[in-house]
Amino acid sequence: MLFTDLPLNPNILKGIAELGFEKPTPVQEATIGQLIEEDRDLIGLAQTGTGKTAAFGLPMIEKIDVKSKNVQGLVIAPTRELCVQISNDFKAFSKYIPKLNIATIYGGASMDKQAKEIRSGAQIIVATPGRLMDMMRRKMVKINQVNYTVLDEADEMLNMGFKEDIDGILEHTPQDKCTWLFSATMPKTVAKIANSYMENPLEITIGHKNIGAENIHHIYYNVNERERYHAVKRILDFHPNIYGLIFCRTRRTTQDIADKLLKDGYNAAPLHGDLSQMQRDKAMQKFREKTLQILVATDVAARGIDVDNISHVINYHLPDDIESYTHRSGRTARAGKKGESIAIVSNKDIHRIKQIEKKIKIQFDALELPSGKEICEQQILRYADKIKRVKINENELAKLLPSIQNDLSSFSKEDLIKRIISIEFNQLLDYYEKSKGVGSAKNKGQKGWAKDNNHERFFINLGYNKGLNKGGLLRLICSNTNLPSESVGELDLYNDFSFFEMEKSLAEKIIGDLQDKQYDGKDFVVEIASKDGKRSKGNSNRKPTSKKRNQRDNKRVKRKR
Ligand code: AMP
C-alpha cells in the first residue's frame, strides 16, 4: 500500500512526500483509512518508532475544518519534549494546508505566549496534561468543541501521575468526540481509562510487527557488581561512533556516571530531574545536533526523547519495572534502522533477564565484554577513518612540509601508514595491557590463581561497608601472617565480604593466624571459599566460642572504665 492509496487530501500527500514518506508503516496502514472514513474510538498498542504520530496525526489533520477557529483536535502527551516533537511533525504534515494552526502547550514556558497562540485560532492543541489543566482553570483555553482527542503514551502519563488531570480534561470535552489512545503497554490503569471514556474502540496491536522492536538486538553482559562502570567504558570504547543513551535508575547515579565519563574523556552529559529546565534543554539540543554522543538519563527525564538514529541504549541497571525496558529499548532502532539494547547485569539481577524475555517476548544474547584487543581494533579503524576525513590546513602545513618530507622521505607509503597507526595503536594496547581485565561474573570463585591446584581462595566477612579497601585487606593479611604482599593473589572486594587468594599449602597457617583477630575493633571470619565463590561451610577460623568470649572480654573492659 502507498500513501496515495489512502483517502488523504493532496496537500497532506505533498507534505508527507517532502518528508520522504512513501509507504505507510503497519500502524499507519491499520489506522489512517479507518479513522478518516469512520468516526470511532481507537486503542493502539504501539511504541515510539512505529510511525504512530502520523497514524493519528494524518487522520486528525484531514478532519479539521480550517474555516472554523475552534479547537477541534487535542493531543495530550506526557512531556514537553514529546509535545514539541508531535507539534513539529504535525506542522510538517500540514505544511501545505493553509490556515491550519497548531498550538503547543507545556509547562516551564510563558503561559501568556501559549494563550496567544490559542487565541490566534489554533484548531489543534498539543499539550501536556498539567499545563492544559492549568490553562483550562484560568479560562485561557476552551475544549468543549473538540471532536478528536489523542492520548499519546497513555501508560507513561499514568506512570507520571497524570490520571486526575486526564480525567479532568476528558470531562470537559464533548461526549460524542472520538478518543484515540496510544500506549506501548496495556497495564490495568490504561485499560480502565479506555473503559471509562471509549465506546467500542477499534483495537490494533503493532506487537512483533513493530518496525522498531524487530530491529533491536538485545544483549546482556554479566559482570561483577563493582565492575559496572568499567563495563560501560569497555562498551563505549568498543563503539567509538556510538550515539547512545545510558539509563540509570536514580538521579544520583545518573549524575555520578555522567561525571565519571566526562572525567574519563567521553563526550557525555546527564539528563535528570535535578537539573534546571535550561540545563536539560541544552543537553537535549546538543544531543539532537549530535555534538553530544552520550546522554546519561533517568527514565523520567528521557521520556520525551524522540531522537532518530540512536545506535545503542545501555541499561546501567535494569529498570525496576519490566515495561520500562520496552520504553528504554524502543529509543533505538527507529524508522527501520538497527540498534542495540545492552543490559549490564550482575549475579544479583541476572534473573531479571529471563523475566523480561518472558514478559515482552524477546531474546537476549549473553555476550562477553569486548577484549582489550578487540577494542583497540575498533579504535584503530576509527582512527583510520579520521585520517580519511581530516581537513588539511594547507597554508599552515605548507611552511613545515618540505622539512617533514625530507625527514620521512626514506619511508615507503606502507611504512608510513604503519607508523602513523602505530602511534595510536601502541598507546592503546599499552593502556589495555595495563588495565585490569573486567571479570565476567560467571567466573567468580574460579579465577586467577585459584584456578590452579596450588592456590586457594579465601572468604572474609569484611568488605567496603566496614571501610576496607584493597590496601587495607592486604595489610590485614600480611601483618597477621607475616607473609609478604607478593604472596597474596587476586583481591575481590564487595560491600559485605571479600575474597583473596593465597598458596594452598599455607591455608592452615593463614586461617590460624587470622583467627581471633580484629579489624577496626571488630571480629571477623576467614574461611576457604567454596568453588562457586561463596563461603564454604568448613575450615572457618572462628572457634565456636570465640565471639562470645570476645564479647565477654569487651564487657569486662567496659566495666573497668
Ligand atoms: P514515530 O513513531 O511517529 O515517532 O515515528 C518514528 C520515525 O519514523 C519518525 O522519524 C518519522 O518521521 C518516521 N516515519 C513515520 N512514518 C514513516 C513512513 N511511513 N515512512 C518513513 N518514515 C516514517
Side-chain angles (χ1 to χ4, degrees):
M1 184 192 269
L2 297 172
F3 276 108
T4 42
D5 299 325
L6 291 167
L8 286 165
N9 179 321
N11 284 336
I12 296 182
L13 289 175
K14 200 169 160 192
I16 57 175
E18 219 165 79
L19 294 173
F21 292 13
E22 285 169 12
K23 280 186 180 170
T25 64
V27 64
Q28 292 162 359
E29 220 173 278
T31 57
I32 296 173
Q34 288 252 25
L35 296 182
I36 292 175
E37 271 155 17
E38 195 182 350
D39 276 343
R40 63 180 298 184
D41 292 338
L42 168 104
I43 298 177
L45 259 178
Q47 299 176 3
T48 44
T50 51
K52 67 183 163 68
T53 316
F56 58 75
L58 299 184
M60 184 182 277
I61 292 167
E62 181 69 42
K63 294 276 188 171
I64 298 295
D65 174 9
V66 287
K67 285 189 239 85
S68 157
K69 298 252 166 179
N70 289 332
V71 180
Q72 300 156 54
L74 176 62
V75 180
I76 310 171
T79 62
R80 163 199 175 125
E81 284 84 1
L82 189 56
C83 282
V84 171
Q85 180 77 34
I86 294 171
S87 185
N88 287 343
D89 283 354
F90 273 37
K91 284 174 190 164
F93 301 154
S94 61
K95 186 174 165 192
Y96 296 100
I97 302 186
K99 301 204 175 87
L100 184 93
N101 299 314
I102 297 159
T104 325
I105 286 177
Y106 47 81
S110 156
M111 204 182 271
D112 288 338
K113 227 168 127 192
Q114 294 175 354
K116 213 167 137 196
E117 258 187 69
I118 300 168
R119 277 201 307 276
S120 68
Q123 295 101 345
I124 296 178
I125 288 181
V126 185
T128 51
R131 173 56 68 98
L132 180 62
M133 222 23 221
D134 212 0
M135 291 181 76
M136 280 163 57
R137 275 190 219 107
R138 291 164 198 247
K139 310 230 176 306
M140 286 170 153
V141 55
K142 270 205 221 148
I143 55 168
N144 57 354
Q145 306 278 321
V146 161
N147 300 321
Y148 304 96
T149 303
V150 171
L151 302 175
D152 195 19
E153 301 210 351
D155 50 352
E156 287 291 352
M157 289 201 282
L158 296 177
N159 276 344
M160 290 167 80
F162 283 133
K163 166 91 172 68
E164 269 180 27
D165 286 333
I166 291 171
D167 284 336
I169 292 164
L170 291 179
E171 272 153 25
H172 283 84
T173 53
Q175 276 268 311
D176 59 353
K177 65 167 185 314
C178 295
T179 305
W180 302 337
L181 178 147
F182 286 84
S183 196
T185 56
M186 190 49 70
K188 280 200 188 96
T189 44
V190 176
K192 222 167 149 186
I193 290 254
N195 283 339
S196 321
Y197 296 102
M198 298 163 96
E199 226 173 88
N200 184 27
L202 169 67
E203 289 183 31
I204 56 155
T205 303
I206 306 298
H208 51 277
K209 276 196 223 143
N210 178 333
I211 54 173
E214 238 182 22
N215 293 332
I216 304 174
H217 182 196
H218 299 271
I219 294 166
Y220 76 83
Y221 296 107
N222 182 200
V223 302
N224 291 329
E225 184 59 42
R226 69 197 159 95
E227 283 172 344
R228 272 184 206 274
Y229 178 68
H230 294 287
V232 168
K233 277 182 44 170
R234 287 219 162 206
I235 295 163
L236 297 180
D237 288 347
F238 188 63
H239 298 286
N241 290 323
I242 195 169
Y243 178 48
L245 271 170
I246 301 179
F247 280 99
C248 300
R249 261 199 312 240
T250 64
R251 296 170 186 191
R252 213 165 133 195
T253 319
T254 305
Q255 184 67 45
D256 191 37
I257 300 302
D259 285 348
K260 276 189 182 158
L261 287 174
L262 258 176
K263 206 169 128 241
D264 289 338
Y266 296 88
N267 181 9
L271 188 80
H272 57 74
D274 285 343
L275 300 174
S276 69
Q277 188 66 53
M278 212 167 87
Q279 284 172 310
R280 279 193 278 167
D281 285 350
K282 221 164 136 191
M284 269 317 297
Q285 192 189 345
K286 279 167 92 185
F287 191 58
R288 280 213 175 87
E289 287 167 355
K290 296 201 173 156
T291 43
L292 179 72
Q293 250 187 303
I294 305 150
L295 201 55
V296 191
T298 56
D299 289 282
V300 175
R303 267 176 189 144
I305 297 177
D306 209 14
V307 179
D308 285 344
N309 300 321
I310 289 177
S311 62
H312 292 79
V313 166
I314 301 176
N315 293 267
Y316 187 78
H317 283 116
L318 282 171
D320 286 331
D321 60 313
I322 290 171
E323 271 145 18
S324 293
Y325 182 83
T326 315
H327 283 285
R328 288 181 176 187
S329 59
R331 305 288 170 195
T332 183
R334 295 164 58 85
K337 305 247 168 56
K338 286 197 185 317
E340 282 183 5
S341 176
I342 297 171
I344 301 171
V345 290
S346 72
N347 285 349
K348 274 190 209 153
D349 55 353
I350 194 165
H351 64 280
R352 310 220 31 236
I353 292 287
K354 280 263 164 310
Q355 290 174 351
I356 294 174
E357 284 184 330
K358 210 168 143 205
K359 179 101 189 255
I360 54 178
K361 299 191 173 51
I362 52 160
Q363 196 74 44
F364 277 88
D365 275 339
L367 297 187
E368 291 283 324
L369 280 169
S371 68
K373 194 163 172 286
E374 285 165 331
I375 290 170
C376 289
E377 280 166 12
Q378 290 299 319
Q379 297 274 351
I380 294 303
L381 288 177
R382 193 195 193 204
Y383 185 58
D385 194 52
K386 260 164 106 177
I387 293 176
K388 258 197 287 184
R389 289 164 195 270
V390 69
K391 271 202 191 125
I392 297 172
N393 186 334
E394 301 283 355
N395 284 347
E396 287 300 313
L397 266 183
K399 296 174 219 157
L400 302 165
L401 221 49
S403 67
I404 295 173
Q405 268 170 347
N406 196 22
D407 222 23
L408 303 176
S409 60
S410 60
F411 297 111
S412 69
K413 181 178 147 197
E414 285 72 28
D415 227 15
L416 272 177
I417 292 174
K418 278 191 228 158
R419 278 165 191 275
I420 290 169
I421 295 284
S422 294
I423 294 173
E424 194 88 345
F425 201 50
N426 292 350
Q427 257 180 10
L428 269 168
L429 268 181
D430 196 40
Y431 167 76
Y432 275 107
E433 261 159 27
K434 278 189 189 136
S435 81
K436 202 174 138 296
V438 179
S440 157
K442 272 188 261 165
N443 297 330
K444 203 164 91 180
Q446 277 292 294
K447 59 187 179 182
W449 287 9
K451 268 188 200 151
D452 66 48
N453 278 335
N454 301 330
H455 292 92
E456 196 63 88
R457 191 168 159 87
F458 297 85
F459 165 92
I460 179 165
N461 65 341
L462 296 173
Y464 292 120
N465 285 346
K466 294 274 163 26
L468 197 68
N469 57 21
K470 283 194 174 174
L473 179 55
L474 207 55
R475 277 193 297 280
L476 182 72
I477 300 164
C478 298
S479 63
N480 284 302
T481 59
N482 281 325
L483 291 167
S485 58
E486 298 84 74
S487 61
V488 186
E490 186 137 14
L491 299 171
D492 241 348
L493 276 81
Y494 296 84
N495 285 342
D496 297 319
F497 52 84
S498 306
F499 296 96
F500 59 92
E501 290 171 8
M502 295 187 79
E503 227 176 85
K504 206 175 212 167
S505 59
L506 296 171
E508 210 172 309
K509 169 184 165 49
I510 292 161
I511 291 189
D513 287 349
L514 290 166
Q515 188 177 290
D516 283 346
K517 297 282 168 18
Q518 292 201 327
Y519 174 77
D520 205 16
K522 290 190 184 70
D523 294 350
F524 60 84
V525 179
V526 173
E527 296 172 353
I528 290 175
S530 63
K531 285 297 169 212
D532 61 2
K534 294 174 191 137
R535 65 194 283 190
S536 73
K537 295 220 166 67
N539 294 315
S540 165
N541 70 337
R542 184 205 279 180
K543 285 182 197 158
T545 53
S546 72
K547 193 163 185 187
K548 280 186 188 153
R549 198 178 59 224
N550 275 338
Q551 281 169 349
R552 221 173 39 225
D553 291 348
N554 285 344
K555 271 186 205 153
R556 256 186 234 137
V557 173
K558 273 184 202 151
R559 264 187 234 123
K560 266 190 200 166
R561 277 193 215 124

